[in-house]
Amino acid sequence: MMKTIGVIAGAGPFAGLDLLKKIFEQTIADGDADHLNVIGWFASGQLPDRTGFLLDNSKVNPGHAMAVQTLALEKAGAELAAIPCNTAHAPLIFDRMHAELHEAKSKIQFVNMLQETVAHIRQYHGDLSRIGILSTTGTYRVNLYPLYLEQAGLQAIAPDEDVQLNLVHPAIYDRLYGIKAAGTGTEKSRADLSTAVDHLVKKGAQAVILGCTELPLAITEKKKDGIIFLDPTLILARALIREAAPQKLRPYQLP
């Protein structure tokens, strides 16, 4: 038996497409009919910006819209659900979603991308202990990845604030060259992110989590100068396949 996967794919839409693509790429299939059932719910306009909420630029908690969209996925037949947005896993947002799903008596299984990312590091990269983080400023402000990493006995290395605000955040959000606007990495966003990675390495990082789901659209290589890039979107795709039909999961290839 195979479970149907539901994806809240509008957060943001390019990241949603990337997750869907990686689900299919990581599935063992000889033809169309061998792939899993996947429902992508692209309703970006109905999902408030997660970083805006966490930075108090918006008073609307995105967790409500996430719950509404998860229930719609469940009604459409999804038994598993996930959102390809690291910032959406901040407790203020994620807990609100789960509270509303509980109130609605939802039976859908929601897969937590951050939990899966940390579990992946422990399983496949047990020799690593100092993990750098690139993320949105919302994720940065609430110390989201440090919380998960430190609970697992790993050291989290975040950028200095000037690097976060002047390089990482604009690389994601700038309306001219940011990844959300372009749908891919631009020359400037890639250059700024490369500088940020070098900064994390100088601070002692042995690997770097691409902790915003737009970042793997710009940083497409698996490693740089021996530093491994950890892609939570890929990790989430594999986790969804594992939960939906474990026999369909391709073997993991170390970078």
Side-chain angles (χ1 to χ4, degrees), residues 9 89 112 161 169:
H89 290 71
N112 184 315
E161 187 158 337
H169 188 82

Side-chain angles (χ1 to χ4, degrees), residues 90-111:
L92 277 173
I93 300 172
F94 212 58
D95 292 352
R96 169 70 179 272
M97 178 198 71
H98 276 294
E100 292 196 20
L101 292 178
H102 178 74
E103 185 177 353
K105 296 181 170 53
S106 171
K107 296 181 180 180
I108 202 163
Q109 177 187 347
F110 208 99
V111 180

Side-chain angles (χ1 to χ4, degrees), residues 54 64 79 85 99 141 152-154 168 175 181 212 222 224:
L54 293 175
H64 170 67
E79 298 157 276
C85 172
R141 284 275 189 258
L154 300 168
V168 183
R175 292 181 178 274
C212 167
K222 293 183 178 181
K224 174 188 177 184

Side-chain angles (χ1 to χ4, degrees), residues 146-182:
L147 175 66
Y148 278 86
L149 290 167
E150 289 164 9
Q151 286 177 344
L154 300 168
Q155 180 184 352
I157 300 176
D160 293 347
E161 187 158 337
D162 63 320
V163 173
Q164 175 65 35
L165 297 181
N166 297 319
L167 295 177
V168 183
H169 188 82
I172 300 167
Y173 276 99
D174 189 270
R175 292 181 178 274
L176 294 178
Y177 64 84
I179 308 166
K180 280 185 176 290

Side-chain angles (χ1 to χ4, degrees), residues 8-30:
I8 301 175
F14 292 110
L17 287 172
D18 190 39
L19 175 58
L20 295 177
K21 180 173 181 286
K22 285 170 178 172
I23 290 172
F24 298 129
E25 289 175 341
Q26 293 296 313
T27 299
I28 297 172
D30 294 326

Side-chain angles (χ1 to χ4, degrees), residues 179-201:
I179 308 166
K180 280 185 176 290
T184 187
T186 61
E187 183 177 353
K188 179 162 177 54
S189 65
R190 287 193 182 101
D192 287 353
L193 291 171
S194 180
T195 300
V197 169
D198 292 342
H199 166 72
L200 291 173
V201 172

Side-chain angles (χ1 to χ4, degrees), residues 128 130 132 197-198 200-202 204-209 219 221-230 255:
L128 302 179
R130 301 187 302 278
V197 169
D198 292 342
L200 291 173
V201 172
K202 287 179 182 178
Q206 299 168 299
V208 175
I209 294 174
I219 302 175
E221 58 266 47
K222 293 183 178 181
K223 61 172 60 177
K224 174 188 177 184
D225 300 328
I227 300 299
I228 296 170
F229 292 123
L230 298 163

